[in-house]
Amino acid sequence: MKFQIEDVTVYFPYDNIYPEQYAYMVELKRALDAKGHCLLEMPTGTGKTIALLSLITSYALSKPSNPIKFIYCTRTVHEMEKTLSELKLLHNYQLQHLGPAAKILALGLSSRKNLCINPTVVSAENRDSVDAACRKLTASWVRELAAENPRIPTCSFFENYEKSASEAILPPGVYTLQDLRAYGKLKGWCPYFLARHMVQLANVVVYSYQYLLDPKVAGIISKEMQRESVVVFDEAHNIDNVCIEALSVSVRMQTLEGATRNINRMSQEIDRFKATDAGRLRAEYNRLVEGLALRGDLPASDAWLANPALPNDILKEAVPGNIRRAEHFLSVLRRLVQYIRGRLQTENVEKEGPVAFVASVNTQAGIDQKMLRFCYDRLHSLMLTLEISDTDEFLHIQTICDFATLVGTYTRGFSIIIEPFDERMPHIPDPVLQLCCHDASLAIKPVFERFQSVVITSGTLSPIDLYPRLLNFNPVVSRSFTMSLTRDCICPMVLTRGSDQLPVSTKYDLRSDPGVEKNYGKLLLEMVSVVPDGIVCFFVSYSYMDGIVNSWHETGLLKEIMQHKLVFIETQDVVETTLALDNYRKACDCGRGAVFFSVARGKVAEGIDFDRHYGRLVIMFGVPFQYTLSRILLARLEYLRDTFQIKEGDFLTFDALRQAAQCVGRVIRSKADYGMMIFADKRYSRHDKRSKLPGWILSHLRDAHLNLSTDMAAHIAREGIKEEGSQMIIKVAVLDLSIACDST
Amino acid sequence: MANDPSSPVKLNVEFRTIKGHKFTKDGTKQALLNLTQDQGGNYIFEFENFPDRNVCKDFVASAIALSGEAGRTVPEKSAVPIQDEQLSAAEMERRIKLLQEDSDLQKLHKQFVIGGILSEAEFWATRKKLLEQNYSRRPKQRVALKNDMWSTKPLADGQSNRVTFNLTPEIILQIFAEKPAVRQAYLNFVPNKMTEKEFWTKYSRAEYLHSTKNVIAAAAEAAEDEELAVFLKQDDMLVNEARKKIRQVDPTLDMEADEGDDYMHLPIQDHGLPRNDNKDVLDSQYEPYRRSFSQHLNQHAAVVLQGRVIDVELGDTRSVAEALARTKHAELAKDASDVYLDKERLERISRMTEIEDLQAPRDPAVAPLSIKDPRDYFDSQQANAFSTLGDTVSGAKQLKCSVSTREAYCSLKECISEIKFQGLTEPTINSEVAFKVLNGLAQNISSNKYHLGRNPNESILDSLPKITREELLLHWSSIQELLKHFWSSYPITTKYLLTKATKLKDAMSQIYPKLQEIKESVQSDLRHQVSLLVQPMLQALDAAFAHYDADVQNRSARSGERPNGF
């Protein structure tokens, strides 16, 4: 359908539109008009993504004189694919109505691991080794050598891409990662470098959060994006965590050992170069004297992760004299590693601010703050000079330099925590030094400053006034929409007691109580026998899930559950989890029915939809609080309290409840869908906890469903399914008719 | 016939001299097939493996069945009555298979076709559907795997240190399917390196070690015994398989791809999820010996979901292992570059992305139910009533199978208005007769239902002596068959149909007294119920006779007018 919002004609690929989608678009349009940032909460299952896409593309189409770029950030690659296929649908519709004028270029961007089509490279195990394998074939010095010696392998796709030079462009259209690979294969061009290049020219770019938030990645990928861009962070309820992680580093014993190996290797290389090609090292020195920390134009294939500090904070000065020489720099690194090693020997937990740490480094190792700040760039320059292409081997020293640069740059919002062992396993020494960022606003600040509109949106942003404080920005629009419903398509319940009327909870004192474990198992057993198709269960942590599943196995409960449905489980191995999910969907598709055990805050809870028959019921076992004894968390809470006046308890509850809401929200994707939600913990019945749930769940939570026991919940589930079934009668009647026709 | 390569004499025996066959059970020592001859001689064949034997066994069985039947009517085996149609071998095979699968059908076939009342073609003509169904290669319904994990809970007897594991062929199949490394090890080790028993003992030992969750002990034992190590280590084959499979998963849930975008090498990645990966308490040398329950759980569910992929009789462990290895291999080989799969995947994604209730309604996706034989589901009488109806309503429109609601409604409306306008075309069967038949049948259904409904354990039939019951059922089905053919031959338009009807009528009249006989032979207390059962049959027969007589009279009256017949 086609309609006007003020002066913009919106092309929307469906015949109908939900009222909240319309309202969402209106607010979004106002924010774009005001060239300001906005914060929008809209329940899952209301077609948020398509509303966003269709308004922003229509807005861009209506202002052809001043084209805006649209940068869409997703948390995961599979969400990227989903978004792009929705965009494809929309684009086709716009083409139909506007003709070639609507042509846009939209593409997804991911790492080499997901885009490479060179079979020898892509078979490598993880991202770093794929990157390194690529670099071994495409680095400028490798190609120079290969020009002389044809026996040195290069990547034909990259060579072809380079040869085509300016001709290597993507025709307009919408490209998913798969489409990019297919196009690359067709043309014989490297899809990764093609995509990297096209990102600058594209109308719509879809990529992961980190490409904007992590300064290391943003520095090389998103440096040249124009100001007239609209940046959208979808599913942004965890954006503060991503921001914090982008600026945090942790160093372990293994890191130090690896770093020492790296340093030795580099010093060997230096010796070799001294003997064979001393000019190179001298050239580097001269360049550094001239103040070029990093040469401006590097070939794309040589580009490495950029400086971990935010662009505005990077010193625009010459590299200090005492680390210009390669040998001197290496000895500085040696001393730094030695110093950190000494700190890790501690017996007690230590916590200090960056200022104190830098002071102590200065006195004990003789490395001043400025040297620390330049560590990363100096290392980068050295590695290029030494022509090191197996960068995956050098991750350790990179981590050390990351750490040095960050700790030398920032004085506030960070703390350094050294723990000699894990809190829960005090007898096992596992020292770790963590540089934790507490201030989420740091990483996102450049994004707010650089782009004219930043849209932060999700299904769960409650309480919505907290985010502007956490991220330190002023939205021009901040709204929370409710769901307009013609029927109850969600049915949330709070289960507080098991079938034996004893309370259930994952609270610390009740957690390992066999009675609670049994009650939880009984609950699931009741549900698998009542609810058809797919059921998803979320637990509070991996260890809790492992423990309870094992205990169900031992008591035979699991066996009984398996008589109704197949059981799949999330593990920390992503490959295995992905396959389990794939099988889970197959089991739901074929009618066998299945249960999926998953972890709140885990990868599945973050990004996988369990819509329609893939999830008729979701059970949240317990309240997914963070591990409250974690030093990092405590330090962050302290910082939040001091800086933003956010109470610890409030933040913890807010954080736990947004995770819970996120988990249960996975079951619904459209209003034609139906899903039940069980919050199985007595703590959910308390008002202070419950009220933190987003409005669209609360509005469906009836008072009668606030304090249920297992058998009552089973009864409600049975009724709910029956009612849902009666709505299916029309469909079944059609089916009957066709059978009758078939048999006569 | 098979030849013995070692003997110079070629064996050639005609099938009609073969009376029966016996064979050894799968999984026993030798794959034998024993053919017994009319005159008392025996031929014993030894096969190299069971699948080969089974193929021959099936062939022999069908050949014997056929030649047995053929032997009675016509002397030659090849002369299975073929009248007006040339049968392809495949067609023949299908029929034979159907007969083998369904003993009732076989009885009927024997009685009528071989008894000469119906021709082969006629017999099968009414069962076209059955044949077609089989033709479309409906996969044989397979029993799914049990969703039951073989819990390695050993049975310890408390006193001694003995631990017992129970292994059945079913469990072995499951182990092989879930743990390809064990399967591979079996193929490698047995019987060259160790006996089957040793193999399973070793396996059980490994399982026991796992169940104690003592990783260090497991590693220590594995270091000493390389065969045991195979079981204790992680399954490399599974890992490889997973790597291949991951390329085919739906990209909208491919979490592995996310790893590629993860530039933060941090332990706190999971947003405050406490890290609790039991940390590297142990040295990396023990790493391969750690196995998680969840991994096992996933693998198990995947195998159950896949179902029974092999069609080998359990028992012979080796052939099971080989068959599994083969199917796995084929499966992995074919996928690599399947364009079709890609396309299907894309379609699925685009379907998933659409918001269905914002879209104008589409035709509901209607899939025909997969019912092998609808008669299993509807009462057989009802089905017959349907089919006779279908026969009589000439010119009924062939309906499309998948119709939208609107279409169905429109066509229904059309039909009704057509009937309203024209009236029903002259019914071919006397309406009273039809009514009577229908009534009789309906009564039978309802009375049956009445009794059956009351007490499911006490059907009338069950209370009868076994012989009577079987006889009754046999008569019942043969009457059904005959009636079906009888009614379907009306209206009589050719001489052929006339003779057919006469033949059928004669056959029916032979059954008639038999029914009476049964009725009288049973004990008095049961007589009433039996007569209740027999009554509808008799009525149906009476109706048929009446119709026949009326028709004959009609015909003779008419043929008087038109002496040249049709």
Side-chain angles (χ1 to χ4, degrees), chain A residues 211-357:
Chain A
Y211 284 68
L212 270 188
L213 292 180
D214 186 344
K216 297 196 287 296
V217 195
I220 54 167
I221 305 265
S222 313
K223 211 162 44 184
E224 281 151 27
M225 299 286 189
Q226 70 224 48
R227 179 173 165 73
E228 290 74 30
S229 299
V230 180
V231 177
V232 173
F233 290 102
D234 198 3
E235 304 285 342
H237 46 274
N238 273 332
I239 193 165
D240 51 328
N241 288 329
V242 180
C243 292
I244 284 171
E245 280 167 21
L247 294 178
S248 299
V249 184
S250 69
V251 178
R252 286 169 187 280
M253 268 326 213
Q254 296 98 297
T255 322
L256 294 180
E257 282 155 20
T260 312
R261 275 200 306 276
N262 293 157
I263 292 172
N264 291 340
R265 162 100 186 271
M266 281 194 285
S267 97
Q268 282 166 16
E269 292 284 314
I270 290 172
D271 291 344
R272 194 167 63 84
F273 270 103
K274 265 188 187 155
T276 58
D277 191 6
R280 284 191 81 90
L281 291 167
R282 207 168 308 124
E284 188 199 23
Y285 180 80
N286 291 336
R287 208 181 59 224
L288 293 172
V289 171
E290 282 159 30
L292 298 168
L294 281 179
R295 39 342 45 179
D297 283 333
L298 267 185
S301 56
D302 286 0
W304 199 27
L305 291 182
N307 195 306
L310 298 165
N312 290 347
D313 303 328
I314 296 172
L315 272 190
K316 305 276 184 297
E317 291 177 29
V319 173
N322 43 6
I323 56 171
R324 279 184 207 152
R325 276 201 181 285
E327 310 88 329
H328 293 170
F329 177 58
L330 280 194
S331 85
V332 165
L333 285 183
R334 277 219 171 87
R335 290 207 304 275
L336 181 63
V337 169
Q338 195 51 45
Y339 172 76
I340 298 174
R341 196 189 299 272
R343 295 296 303 263
L344 280 180
Q345 307 289 321
T346 176
E347 302 268 301
N348 309 309
V349 177
E350 290 177 24
K351 186 185 156 215
E352 58 190 298
V355 181
F357 188 84

Side-chain angles (χ1 to χ4, degrees), chain B residues 490-504:
Chain B
Y490 280 90
I492 290 172
T493 46
T494 60
K495 202 157 212 158
Y496 169 71
L497 281 178
L498 183 66
T499 45
K500 184 181 167 191
T502 322
K503 239 188 334 194
L504 289 167

